[in-house]
Amino acid sequence: MRLSSSLAPVTVAVAVALVVCLPYPARPHARVEARQAADPEPFGAECRTSVRGSHVVAYCHNPYVGIDRVRLHIECDRWWDLDTDSAPAEVEPAMTVRLTGRCWKEVGSAWISHQKG
């Protein structure tokens, strides 16, 4: 009996040493759950552009809360005709703006750029 009672403390010490030394996956123990990244706020006016001959007209309506700064860019078809960029126009929430521009001859392409205001 004396042998088994002397082995008990040694067995407990070896078991504790094994438990402490064994690797385990590190996990955060935060009491608060991690927050999900919020969806970005919708932004950007909806624009309709029309080309008639050498004239370009664009209507931009902003259905969102933030202000959108829009510009009309026109690339003319002829190499000697100057391409143009309009001044920025602020489209406030629930508002519509009209942008116009032209080339001397044919219009190659026209597009709208957006910037948060």
Side-chain angles (χ1 to χ4, degrees), residues 51-56 74-83 102-110:
V51 177
R52 289 199 177 121
S54 62
H55 295 274
V56 179
I74 302 171
E75 188 174 302
C76 300
D77 199 29
R78 307 282 176 127
W79 66 269
W80 48 264
D81 205 348
L82 295 177
D83 300 338
R102 66 179 298 251
C103 294
W104 285 103
K105 291 284 186 176
E106 300 86 15
V107 174
S109 62

Side-chain angles (χ1 to χ4, degrees), residues 3-115:
L3 184 62
S4 66
S5 66
S6 65
L7 285 179
V10 173
T11 306
V12 170
V14 169
V16 168
L18 284 175
V19 168
V20 171
C21 293
L22 289 176
Y24 66 95
R27 290 186 217 149
H29 297 285
R31 297 195 184 271
V32 179
E33 291 183 23
R35 299 176 86 184
Q36 295 290 334
D39 291 335
E41 185 176 309
F43 168 78
E46 298 171 1
C47 298
R48 291 179 290 125
T49 306
S50 66
V51 177
R52 289 199 177 121
S54 62
H55 295 274
V56 179
V57 178
Y59 291 95
C60 294
H61 175 74
N62 186 5
Y64 302 115
V65 177
I67 295 174
D68 186 5
R69 205 173 273 130
V70 294
R71 293 181 71 166
L72 174 63
H73 306 276
I74 302 171
E75 188 174 302
C76 300
D77 199 29
R78 307 282 176 127
W79 66 269
W80 48 264
D81 205 348
L82 295 177
D83 300 338
T84 59
D85 300 320
S86 73
E90 288 190 349
V91 187
E92 296 186 11
M95 298 296 291
T96 302
V97 298
R98 180 178 184 249
L99 304 169
T100 61
R102 66 179 298 251
C103 294
W104 285 103
K105 291 284 186 176
E106 300 86 15
V107 174
S109 62
W111 67 93
I112 304 292
S113 64
H114 302 266
Q115 180 183 13

